[in-house]
Each structure stands twice: as C-alpha cells, then as structure tokens.
Amino acid sequence: MTVNSIGVIGAGQMGNGIAHVMALAGYDVVLNDISEEALTRAVEIIQRNMDRQVSREKISAETRDAAMARIATTQELPQVAKTDLIIEAATENEGIKQKIFDSLLPHLAEHTILTSNTSSISITRLASRTDRPEKFMGFHFMNPVPVMQLVELIRGIATDKETYETCLGVVEKLGKTAASAEDFPAFIVNRILMPMINEAVYTLYEGVGNVNSIDQSMKLGANHPMGPLELADFIGLDTCLAIMNVLHDGLADTKYRPCPLLTKYVEAGWLGRKTQRGFYDYRGETPVPTR
C-alpha cells in the first residue's frame, strides 16, 4: 500500500515531533488535538526546530518551507480519518486511546491503517476494539523524534504482513531504523529502560545516593549521555509511572513494582521538565536537585 498522507493525533511533545519528521519526508500531515492552543504551540515548535536544522545546514530553507506547508491542523477527528495512515500519540492512558479510536471508526476510509505511538500498552488489546485489527499496529517513536533514529514496530496478534511492510516502508522513508518487537508489556526499549529508571529512584528512596551522585555515577561510570533521574524528568514522571504500572500489572512480577517515591512525585504534580519540577527544580537558571 502507498502512503501519501499521515494523520497524527495529539500535538504534544511526541505528536509535534512525528508531524515534523513526516512532513520533512514528503508526507501530507494532518495534526489533531482537542486544544487549539496546543496546535498553535506545536506548529511554533516545529517551525523553531526546523529553523534550527536550517541554521545547522541539516536541511535547506526551501525544504523547511515545503515541509511546513504540508502540515495542516484540526480539532476535528473526522478530518484525520481521511488520511492513509493514522498515528495516535495521545497521553499514555488506555481509556483515552480507546475513546479516540472509537470516535475515529465511523469516519475511516477502508484502506486506512491505524497505529499507536504507545510506549507500553497492548497493541492486540487496542486493536481488538476496532473494526480492523489486521490493519492496526504499534508505531513507537523515541523522544525527541527528529533526533532519535529508532522506531519500534509492534505487531498485534492479528496484524497482517501488508500493514507491517507498509509501516516499515514509512520508517525507511524517514531515514530511521525499525526494530520489530513482539506485543508484550513495554516492548523492547521501555522493558529495559524503565526498570533501570525505577531502580535509580529506589536507590534515591533508600538513601544509597542523592540525585547528583546517582546521575553522575551513570553518566561517568556507565557512559550514559543523561543520568537516569535526569532522563526520567525529560520523559515525564507520570509517563514513567504509567509504564511501570503496565509492566507490573502485565507481567505480575514484583521486580516491576513502581518505587513509592516515584508515585509520591507524581501525586505532587512534580512530573519533571514539563511542570518545572521533578527530581530537579527547573525554575532557576540551572536545574537544582530536589533531594
């Protein structure tokens, strides 16, 4: 199947990044969100990020302008349903995702492929609620989307070969690399990454080290570009907790039990960079550890 148009649902950090790379690759993009303010902000962010690519000579000004012209925004889900491939990139909440797909179904073209950018939720379960489980799969980008080279492709139990190969072709056109994952909780990247972050929070919770010493240890001792607590703030502590809960519930193994301190931060609304406070306080000129 040939894909010419892409629908992206959710104009947040992941959604605007997906719209960015799709438009640069030559696809017509329809970006959807329930908030007009979020859509306006997303377009501004995409413009700013593309301007940075021009200044670094990664792309030409002409390429940027052509890509920006390919991005349309809408608050109406039926407008997204007219595209060839839809990527749902809403918040990591299964109930919200199911409502989105339920709302899309009456308006979809017969050929439209449905995908989710979920980082942990069962693709098979999401697909089973739709009228096209064979045309449904996981399309999981890494953050930040324009920079990160990997895309996880996750087949549900019913996903057919044509759908997988179509999505693989899109990834290749983006100039990214696909990793095929089976449909088990958190797939590959987060199955490995999130328990490491959770263990770093336990290390903090138990007083083995403070925020600085934990992050410095992993950056300088394991050559990680970011410490695990710094990375958790970047991802969003609510997202980290949601994925740990999916792992714990889906695999029923106590090693995936979310650290109580992670839960406490989320309950406080200290979700990381997006709320200006998490394991670091970002309200000043430089981030300051909160513990």
Side-chain angles (χ1 to χ4, degrees):
M1 176 184 156
T2 301
V3 173
N4 297 309
S5 57
I6 306 279
V8 180
I9 299 172
Q13 194 172 35
M14 296 303 295
N16 73 60
I18 295 167
H20 175 142
V21 298
M22 291 295 181
L24 272 183
Y27 294 106
D28 293 324
V29 177
V30 180
L31 179 60
N32 164 269
D33 200 282
I34 57 174
S35 163
E36 183 63 40
E37 181 185 352
L39 289 169
T40 301
R41 187 167 61 247
V43 171
E44 290 171 353
I45 290 170
I46 295 168
Q47 179 76 56
R48 190 162 63 244
N49 288 340
M50 286 195 190
D51 288 346
R52 189 178 298 117
Q53 288 178 298
V54 171
S55 68
R56 293 176 180 173
E57 299 184 347
K58 300 283 188 184
I59 61 173
S60 68
E62 292 77 14
T63 299
R64 173 201 60 200
D65 295 344
M68 290 302 301
R70 292 187 194 103
I71 300 172
T73 62
T74 180
Q75 290 178 270
E76 305 299 323
L77 269 179
Q79 296 299 315
V80 184
K82 302 178 188 303
T83 58
D84 300 322
L85 169 66
I86 294 172
I87 303 172
E88 172 274 313
T91 187
E92 192 69 357
N93 178 296
E94 186 167 351
I96 291 172
K97 292 178 186 297
Q98 286 177 340
K99 285 179 183 177
I100 288 169
F101 289 121
D102 288 347
S103 299
L104 276 171
L105 288 181
H107 309 286
L108 292 173
E110 187 177 342
H111 71 279
T112 300
I113 292 173
L114 292 176
T115 71
S116 176
N117 184 58
T118 178
S119 51
S120 63
I121 297 167
S122 168
I123 297 303
T124 298
R125 195 162 61 240
L126 287 173
S128 70
R129 290 279 298 262
T130 74
D131 63 352
R132 59 195 67 204
E134 73 286 348
K135 290 184 180 295
F136 193 113
M137 67 181 299
F139 209 130
H140 180 215
F141 287 85
M142 306 297 127
N143 186 32
V145 179
V147 175
M148 302 297 278
Q149 290 301 301
L150 186 76
V151 180
E152 280 184 314
L153 293 180
I154 305 102
R155 281 175 280 201
I157 198 168
T159 307
D160 64 25
K161 184 179 179 183
E162 183 186 11
T163 298
Y164 172 77
E165 290 180 348
T166 300
C167 290
L168 181 60
V170 172
V171 174
E172 290 171 348
K173 189 173 177 180
L174 295 176
K176 296 187 183 293
T177 300
S180 296
E182 293 301 317
D183 185 24
F184 292 101
F187 320 131
I188 295 172
V189 173
N190 284 315
R191 172 76 175 264
I192 297 167
L193 176 63
M194 285 303 157
M196 185 198 76
I197 287 175
N198 194 51
E199 195 62 31
V201 183
Y202 266 115
T203 306
L204 179 65
Y205 175 62
E206 293 169 3
V208 179
N210 60 27
V211 169
N212 260 337
S213 62
I214 292 166
D215 276 352
Q216 289 284 59
S217 293
M218 295 308 292
K219 284 194 284 189
L220 302 180
N223 207 28
H224 289 195
M226 296 172 73
L229 302 175
E230 182 185 6
L231 180 57
D233 275 358
F234 180 75
I235 293 167
L237 303 193
D238 52 339
T239 300
C240 294
L241 179 60
I243 295 170
M244 286 309 302
N245 280 325
V246 167
L247 280 166
H248 193 229
D249 295 344
L251 298 171
D253 192 323
T254 55
K255 72 180 181 181
Y256 299 117
R257 183 172 68 97
C259 179
L261 184 61
L262 178 60
T263 302
K264 187 69 68 181
Y265 269 71
V266 173
E267 287 174 345
W270 291 19
L271 308 181
R273 284 185 174 272
K274 61 187 173 186
T275 59
Q276 296 295 296
R277 277 193 293 188
F279 292 114
Y280 293 86
D281 189 324
Y282 299 93
R283 293 174 296 174
E285 288 186 15
T286 58
V288 177
T290 53
R291 290 181 87 84

